[in-house]
Amino acid sequence: MRRHLYHHRSHVMRPIPRTRILYSTPFRKAIIPRIHLRLNHTVAQRPDAYLEVVQGSKGIAALTLNRPAAKNAISTRLLKDFRHSLEKAAFDNSINVLIVRSSEPGSFCAGADLIERRSMTKPQVNQFLAELRAAFSLLEDLPMPTIAAIDGPALGGGLEMALSCDLRVAGHSVTKIGLPETRLGIIPGAGGTQRATRLLGLTKAKTLIFTGKMLSAQDALEWGVVDNVSGSNESAYEAALALAKEINQSAPLALRAAKLAISKAPELSLESGLTFERACYEPLLSTSDRLEALDAFREKRKPMFKGV
């Protein structure tokens, strides 16, 4: 039998509607503020960038940008959380491949938070830029391979973030990839002039930066800004994950040694580079993973690498 609250009127028993109880003034004052407080507390505690293990893919992790309402524009808070995640990843030997991605489809990173920037003093801007450069250098220097999954606009600092990764995968429908700073009265200030030049060469880097040109995913592939474009039925993250799984089949210590040797190559003469390559190669000879690879080859099976 249903239960109701009743009131008397003209001696007729009538049920009080539930909506009247739920939205009565005493209920709102007593209950609803507590609900909002809990929700606001939850949102406040949610990081703007965080490190997470990719489920079902041992050895692969994601550094997730989580400021979707602002297209992951880089605020001081996001930068702090991003730097903290990078520091954790740098010393996590269980990570063989790291993907930088957005928590929401259709996004990557729209660059610096210009709304927040307008409220900053010049010393605060200088500090922010110094910390941003340091964070991107930390990303570039991570010991494991890194992939940027560009599922949306990658502008200014967002593209500079992607350029700090080893590889870049763009979603097939992305239309805004570029360094538009000269149109805002500045230049790329977090490594864009240097990393774009090393990646693209002088002429393409100058054209990209002088014009502030916006590239589509296909344009970016042709220019060499990105390495892959996702298929029409998949996101950049899904394509990046497939690439990460392929890389993850290699021995973890070998991946780190290879990244170190390759990354140093532009700084060294050929002779010095060959010496450095040998220095990276020789420690691998005594690892268990190398012996496992030889055993697996002899036994015609897939090697089971442990990173030792």
Side-chain angles (χ1 to χ4, degrees), residues 78-97:
L78 186 145
L79 178 55
K80 180 181 177 182
D81 293 340
F82 183 73
R83 176 75 182 258
H84 177 66
S85 299
L86 290 172
E87 289 169 348
K88 286 172 60 179
F91 296 98
D92 191 337
N93 291 330
S94 70
I95 301 176
N96 300 334
V97 190

Side-chain angles (χ1 to χ4, degrees), residues 107-271:
S107 292
F108 181 65
C109 178
D113 186 336
L114 298 182
I115 295 174
E116 181 185 70
R117 179 72 62 85
R118 290 187 65 181
S119 67
M120 290 180 171
T121 64
K122 189 174 186 300
Q124 288 174 329
V125 171
N126 290 338
Q127 180 180 354
F128 177 85
L129 287 174
E131 292 175 354
L132 187 62
R133 292 186 192 106
F136 289 169
S137 292
L138 183 56
L139 172 58
E140 185 175 45
D141 292 339
L142 284 177
M144 73 288 292
T146 55
I147 306 171
I150 304 172
D151 265 313
L155 302 174
L159 181 53
E160 289 176 306
M161 180 188 295
L163 291 174
S164 302
C165 293
D166 297 308
L167 302 169
R168 286 153 295 282
V169 178
H172 66 277
S173 61
V174 175
T175 58
K176 293 182 179 180
I177 299 173
L179 297 169
E181 284 88 346
T182 56
R183 296 192 177 188
L184 299 172
I186 55 175
I187 66 171
T193 63
Q194 302 305 302
R195 293 188 177 98
T197 302
R198 284 163 170 75
L199 180 67
L200 307 176
L202 279 170
T203 301
K204 285 185 178 179
K206 286 178 178 179
T207 302
L208 187 65
I209 294 170
F210 290 172
T211 64
K213 185 179 180 65
M214 292 291 104
L215 303 176
S216 68
Q218 194 59 45
D219 290 337
L221 180 64
E222 292 172 3
W223 276 57
V225 175
V226 303
D227 306 290
N228 293 288
V229 172
S230 71
S232 59
N233 61 342
E234 64 179 351
S235 66
Y237 173 67
E238 290 170 332
L241 182 57
L243 177 58
K245 288 179 178 179
E246 186 176 355
I247 295 171
N248 197 36
Q249 295 178 42
S250 299
L253 295 179
L255 285 174
R256 293 180 177 225
K259 176 172 178 175
L260 183 59
I262 295 167
S263 297
K264 283 289 182 181
E267 305 172 19
L268 304 172
S269 66
L270 179 58
E271 184 178 353

Side-chain angles (χ1 to χ4, degrees), residues 234-304:
E234 64 179 351
S235 66
Y237 173 67
E238 290 170 332
L241 182 57
L243 177 58
K245 288 179 178 179
E246 186 176 355
I247 295 171
N248 197 36
Q249 295 178 42
S250 299
L253 295 179
L255 285 174
R256 293 180 177 225
K259 176 172 178 175
L260 183 59
I262 295 167
S263 297
K264 283 289 182 181
E267 305 172 19
L268 304 172
S269 66
L270 179 58
E271 184 178 353
S272 298
L274 291 172
T275 301
F276 187 74
E277 179 186 77
R278 182 177 177 181
C280 294
Y281 178 94
E282 288 185 346
L284 299 172
L285 295 175
S286 59
T287 63
S288 297
D289 279 352
R290 178 178 179 271
L291 297 176
E292 164 64 11
L294 294 174
D295 290 342
F297 179 79
R298 185 178 64 252
E299 297 166 9
K300 297 182 180 180
R301 61 174 174 81
K302 186 177 179 180
M304 302 295 291

